[in-house]
Amino acid sequence: MSLSYESTIKKLHSKEMFYIETGLDRISAVLKEFGNPENNLKYIHVAGTNGKGSVCTILDSILREAGFKTGLYTSPHIYEYTERIKISGVEISKKIFSEYFEKIYNKTKELKIYLTEFEILTVIMFLYFNDNQVDIVILETGLGGRLDATNVIKENLCSIITKIDLDHTDKLGNTKEQIAYEKAGIIKSNSTVITSESYEVIKDTADKLNSMFILVSPSVDKKFIDALSLKGLHQTENLSLALTAINYVFPEINEELILKALPKVNNPYRFQYFKDKNLIVDASHNPNGIKALRENLDYYFPDIKRRFVFGCLNTKDYKQMIEILFKEDDEIYFNEFDYPNACTYEELNNACMYKTNRYTKSLNLDDDKLNIICGSFYMIGKMKF
């Protein structure tokens, strides 16, 4: 009997898989057993600390508008794992997801190779995209780049490296230069890397691999910014990276087509405004993302009093995030949500110099304050609004 989707998710959340361990040996061995499906696909590979998801969804929308059958692989998800794997904008079904999972899970048991959650999701993605013969895969790294499971690919059409900041320092290093080194690991021989970051290690890696290095200015013609459905000052840089990749790899795609595609970009909860509730939802889950959120709030809503609901994982620099985000006259609620490593109310409250409240589901958002729900993807996925 086939596994149900619910049983599949329970296995993914088991201690057997729900951990992080970088390295390419395990996933390489499993993919070999399935005939190396990853070698049959074409990729745009995207790494970075912030902006990866936005760049990927912009690329996906433009390429779909141009008639390509796209495969989009992103993480994390907000509600369901199936959100991470899409063909031409359509999520993999729960039934097919579970079928692939069971096939891969049984093979790993036979081989006595134990994949992490992200590794098994990545194998599902490669098999699914290969079986459905997608034209282009927009591939977002999960953690870092050099040893990330997605980096099992041998070549790509181009690499994109978005903004770099301190995050996952226990795995990637505790300086931006060390993290840039890990991100630069996705650069492939005789290819191209497009980035808005000028770290020497990225350029040096490109030079060693005879790969073209393109440094992008974070500026875009206003007509493209106005057309883009994603709002926020920080999206200009993401849009610049995506448009440069399109212009370089697909020069046949014209401005008219791009302008038709940009309003259709769908990347939920990135500074997303719900006018009827005077509510912004933003999945800013590290200091750089929180800094962008604060800048956007000050720019777009400078004179409105604010009410925040915030929660994050204790593996993040939540103290710095709190220092960046809040002002003395803000109404602050901390959400202690049910997820491994989620910050407790006490941890967040102790890090904040202002008066705070414990979030409850009965919180009333119906007045003249601007409401902001922000922080972890996993917290947002558990909330109703």
Side-chain angles (χ1 to χ4, degrees):
M1 183 178 175
S2 298
L3 277 176
S4 68
Y5 179 73
E6 291 71 23
S7 298
T8 296
I9 300 310
K10 284 182 181 177
K11 283 189 176 291
L12 274 173
H13 283 177
S14 68
K15 289 183 180 179
E16 178 184 356
M17 296 178 187
F18 201 71
Y19 65 97
I20 295 174
E21 185 177 342
T22 55
L24 301 178
D25 291 345
R26 296 179 304 279
I27 189 170
S28 295
V30 172
L31 285 167
K32 184 178 180 181
E33 291 292 317
F34 287 103
N36 291 112
E38 75 281 6
N39 292 342
N40 301 326
L41 299 163
K42 296 178 181 179
Y43 303 94
I44 296 177
H45 202 181
V46 184
T49 307
N50 290 91
K52 298 190 299 294
S54 294
V55 170
C56 286
T57 51
I58 293 168
L59 288 169
D60 182 65
S61 186
I62 295 171
L63 291 172
R64 283 163 54 198
E65 191 71 33
F68 288 95
K69 184 178 185 180
T70 61
L72 177 63
Y73 185 54
T74 57
S75 62
H77 61 279
I78 297 172
Y79 297 109
E80 299 290 350
Y81 278 88
T82 52
E83 296 166 29
R84 300 183 182 214
I85 302 171
K86 297 178 182 177
I87 292 180
S88 296
V90 179
E91 294 177 19
I92 185 173
S93 73
K94 291 180 178 180
K95 181 177 182 293
I96 293 173
F97 180 90
S98 298
E99 289 172 355
Y100 276 101
F101 173 86
E102 187 170 18
K103 178 166 63 174
I104 296 161
Y105 180 78
N106 289 339
K107 178 62 69 174
T108 62
K109 287 295 186 187
E110 176 189 323
L111 297 171
K112 295 183 179 178
I113 296 174
Y114 299 99
L115 298 183
T116 67
E117 177 198 73
F118 186 74
E119 286 170 339
I120 204 162
L121 293 170
T122 303
V123 178
I124 291 172
M125 173 270 299
F126 282 132
L127 286 171
Y128 182 59
F129 288 167
N130 182 56
D131 288 349
N132 286 275
Q133 297 181 306
V134 303
D135 299 321
I136 306 288
V137 178
I138 300 103
L139 188 62
E140 179 185 346
T141 60
L143 178 64
R146 183 175 63 93
L147 298 176
D148 184 75
T150 62
N151 205 33
V152 72
I153 65 172
K154 301 293 189 295
E155 56 186 34
N156 58 41
L157 298 174
C158 74
S159 307
I160 299 175
I161 299 177
T162 68
K163 186 173 286 296
I164 291 172
D165 198 14
L166 297 176
D167 200 10
H168 300 291
T169 53
D170 58 324
K171 296 286 193 302
L172 304 180
N174 55 19
T175 69
K176 290 184 182 181
E177 287 74 16
Q178 289 173 328
I179 293 173
Y181 168 76
E182 294 297 330
K183 309 296 184 186
I186 70 166
I187 301 171
K188 298 292 182 279
S189 296
N190 302 305
S191 185
T192 300
V193 57
I194 298 166
T195 183
S196 54
E197 298 283 20
S198 57
Y199 292 96
E200 282 297 319
V201 68
I202 298 176
K203 189 174 188 311
D204 289 348
T205 302
D207 288 344
K208 288 175 185 175
L209 294 172
N210 194 34
S211 186
M212 183 180 292
F213 175 84
I214 300 177
L215 183 63
V216 171
S217 168
S219 61
V220 180
D221 191 306
K222 189 174 182 297
K223 64 186 175 187
F224 294 113
I225 298 170
D226 291 344
L228 181 64
S229 61
L230 305 177
K231 300 307 176 187
L233 301 172
H234 61 295
Q235 293 296 354
T236 300
E237 185 171 322
N238 296 329
L239 182 56
S240 178
L241 287 165
L243 293 182
T244 301
I246 292 294
N247 291 337
Y248 181 78
V249 182
F250 304 97
E252 70 277 12
I253 297 179
N254 59 39
E255 285 191 2
E256 182 182 357
L257 189 147
I258 291 170
L259 288 169
K260 284 177 63 179
L262 292 180
K264 302 175 185 177
V265 177
N266 182 29
N267 196 25
Y269 306 150
R270 275 72 169 183
F271 200 68
Q272 186 172 3
Y273 182 55
F274 298 87
K275 188 175 181 180
D276 59 326
K277 297 180 180 178
N278 200 24
L279 169 66
I280 287 171
V281 184
D282 191 283
S284 301
H285 55 280
N286 56 40
N288 191 69
I290 288 292
K291 181 173 180 288
L293 171 59
R294 173 66 182 270
E295 289 172 351
N296 286 326
L297 290 171
D298 291 345
Y299 181 82
Y300 291 103
F301 303 93
D303 301 318
I304 303 177
K305 289 193 174 182
R306 302 167 185 172
R307 176 189 290 115
F308 287 91
V309 177
F310 174 82
C312 69
L313 303 183
N314 60 25
T315 53
K316 304 290 184 176
D317 190 351
Y318 61 88
K319 294 180 181 178
Q320 187 181 357
M321 294 161 74
I322 286 170
E323 288 176 6
I324 293 169
L325 187 58
F326 301 126
K327 297 178 181 179
E328 186 174 4
D329 59 349
D330 291 333
E331 186 178 343
I332 303 166
Y333 291 84
F334 288 136
N335 185 349
E336 183 178 325
F337 58 103
D338 180 23
Y339 194 82
N341 297 322
C343 281
T344 64
Y345 170 76
E346 288 74 21
E347 286 174 316
L348 296 172
N349 181 59
N350 291 339
C352 188
M353 64 186 295
Y354 306 123
K355 180 182 181 298
T356 73
N357 309 275
R358 190 185 295 269
Y359 170 76
T360 65
K361 293 180 181 178
S362 61
L363 181 63
N364 178 22
L365 302 181
D366 299 327
D367 62 15
D368 58 355
K369 286 188 177 180
L370 176 66
N371 302 289
I372 305 111
I373 295 174
C374 59
S376 171
F377 282 95
Y378 303 112
M379 178 198 76
I380 291 171
K382 293 177 179 295
M383 294 184 70
K384 303 292 183 186
F385 45 84

